[in-house]
Amino acid sequence: IRYESISCTAGGIAILKYSNFLYTAGEKDFTVYDLKDPAHPRRLHTMTGFGQCRQMAVSNGILYLTARHFGLWILSLENPSSPKVINRFDTVELATGLAVHKNYVFVSERIYGIEMIDCNDLLHPRHISLMRSDEAQSAVFHHGKLYAGEWGSSRLSVFDYSNFYAPQLLGQYPLGGFGDGVAIQDNICCCATGLNSPKAEYGKVSGDGHGLDIFQLDANGMPIHISRIDFPVLKMKSNDFWSVRIAGKYAFVADTFNGVFQVDISDPFHPVAA
C-alpha cells in the first residue's frame, strides 16, 4: 500500500469491507476508500460528527455503526461509494459491540448488557429487549444464539434469542484474559482476549491475558473449550481492543498495540502462530 496516496481515519477503530469499498471509522470521522485497485486504495471522502465509533456491520445494504454515547448510526449503502445517514438510534447506554441478523441489531453496551433493536422500519427503529450481561464488549449472532465476549469477568457468555422479546442466558465460560472479539466458523468459536488473565492479582495490570481461546460448539451450539494460544505479555493501561476474524484455516487477531497475529486453526485443538 502506498500510504502517501490515502488519508487515514483519525483514531480509526472500526473497519469494514463491502463490495469494492472500505469503510473506516474512529474519533468522529467516517471515511470511504475505493478498493478497485487493492494495492492502491483511494480515499473518496470523509464524513464527520459520528462520535466515538467502535464497530460496523452490514445487512441488506444497510450499514450499522456503534459510536458509544452517540448510540447507533444507520446508513444506506444504496450508493456504496457515498453512504447516506438514514437515522440515529439513542441506545440505553454506551454503544460498543455490534451483531446483526437480517434487520435486527444487537448492541453490546458494556454495563447494561445487550440491547436488541428492530430496524425493519429504518425511520423508526424500535427497542425490543435488554439482556443484562457481565460487561459485554463484542458479540456475534449464530443460529439463534448470541455469543458475547465479556470484558471484566473474562468470560464467553451465550444467550438464547429464539424469542427476541425474552432472551435467556444459557451459560458462561471462562477465558484466559479480558474478553472482547468473537468469531464463529462452522462449529469453531474463537474468542480474542487481552489485558490481564483471571489469575492476576486484582488492581495490578500484568498484561498476561493476551491471546486466543478456541471452543468447539456441540450439537446444541454450546461451547466446549478445546485450546488456547497466548500472545506476548503487554502491560497497557490505555485503550486496548482485541478482535478476531476467521478466513479458512486461519484466525486473524488484532491485538491493538501488540500487533496482528495470524493463527493456523486447521487443527483447532493445537493452534499455531503462523
Side-chain angles (χ1 to χ4, degrees):
I1 298 176
R2 295 188 307 175
Y3 289 102
E4 69 271 14
S5 67
I6 63 175
S7 298
C8 297
T9 300
I13 294 176
I15 185 168
L16 177 77
K17 181 182 180 295
Y18 178 77
S19 184
N20 290 322
F21 300 93
L22 183 73
Y23 308 107
T24 65
E27 293 293 333
K28 301 181 181 180
D29 294 347
F30 177 94
T31 306
V32 183
Y33 298 93
D34 185 338
L35 292 183
K36 289 180 181 178
D37 181 358
H40 304 93
R42 181 169 60 92
R43 185 175 68 87
L44 299 178
H45 66 275
T46 296
M47 299 183 287
T48 62
F50 286 87
Q52 297 178 352
C53 302
R54 283 295 184 269
Q55 295 186 18
M56 282 186 281
V58 169
S59 180
N60 296 328
I62 302 299
L63 185 147
Y64 301 93
L65 169 65
T66 56
R68 301 286 277 177
H69 58 282
F70 277 68
L72 175 72
W73 290 97
I74 303 172
L75 297 89
S76 169
L77 295 182
E78 182 177 0
N79 178 0
S81 67
S82 182
K84 302 297 182 185
V85 174
I86 298 175
N87 209 338
R88 187 187 71 84
F89 183 83
D90 192 13
T91 53
V92 171
E93 199 224 346
L94 299 176
T96 304
L98 182 64
V100 179
H101 172 65
K102 297 181 180 178
N103 297 322
Y104 297 93
V105 180
F106 304 84
V107 179
S108 304
E109 297 175 2
R110 300 294 295 273
I111 304 302
Y112 276 75
I114 311 292
E115 182 174 7
M116 186 177 181
I117 304 163
D118 181 346
C119 291
N120 280 286
D121 182 351
L122 296 171
L123 296 179
H124 303 93
R126 184 169 60 91
H127 169 96
I128 294 180
S129 63
L130 182 66
M131 183 68 195
R132 293 301 298 270
S133 67
D134 292 337
E135 200 174 4
Q137 175 78 355
S138 298
V140 62
F141 186 84
H142 182 72
H143 295 332
K145 295 180 177 64
L146 193 78
Y147 300 78
E150 307 282 7
W151 182 274
S153 63
S154 299
R155 293 174 178 170
L156 169 68
S157 292
V158 183
F159 303 94
D160 178 10
Y161 272 88
S162 54
N163 181 349
F164 285 168
Y165 292 89
Q168 300 291 326
L169 174 65
L170 295 178
Q172 294 179 311
Y173 306 84
L175 299 172
F178 281 34
D180 192 346
V182 183
I184 294 176
Q185 178 176 275
D186 299 326
N187 68 332
I188 296 300
C189 175
C190 293
C191 301
T193 68
L195 206 62
N196 299 338
S197 74
K199 298 176 292 184
E201 183 180 346
Y202 182 76
K204 293 185 178 179
V205 179
S206 62
D208 62 349
H210 295 261
L212 184 71
D213 282 291
I214 301 178
F215 295 82
Q216 189 174 59
L217 303 182
D218 66 18
N220 297 314
M222 301 308 294
I224 302 169
H225 191 271
I226 57 175
S227 62
R228 175 176 170 83
I229 185 169
D230 291 308
F231 301 148
V233 171
L234 179 66
K235 298 180 180 179
M236 178 59 63
K237 294 184 179 180
S238 62
N239 289 340
D240 200 0
F241 307 94
W242 319 289
S243 60
V244 55
R245 300 290 185 271
I246 303 175
K249 68 175 186 177
Y250 294 108
F252 296 89
V253 186
D255 203 43
T256 318
F257 300 101
N258 222 358
V260 178
F261 297 88
Q262 181 179 343
V263 181
D264 186 337
I265 58 170
S266 54
D267 178 0
F269 290 87
H270 303 94
V272 178

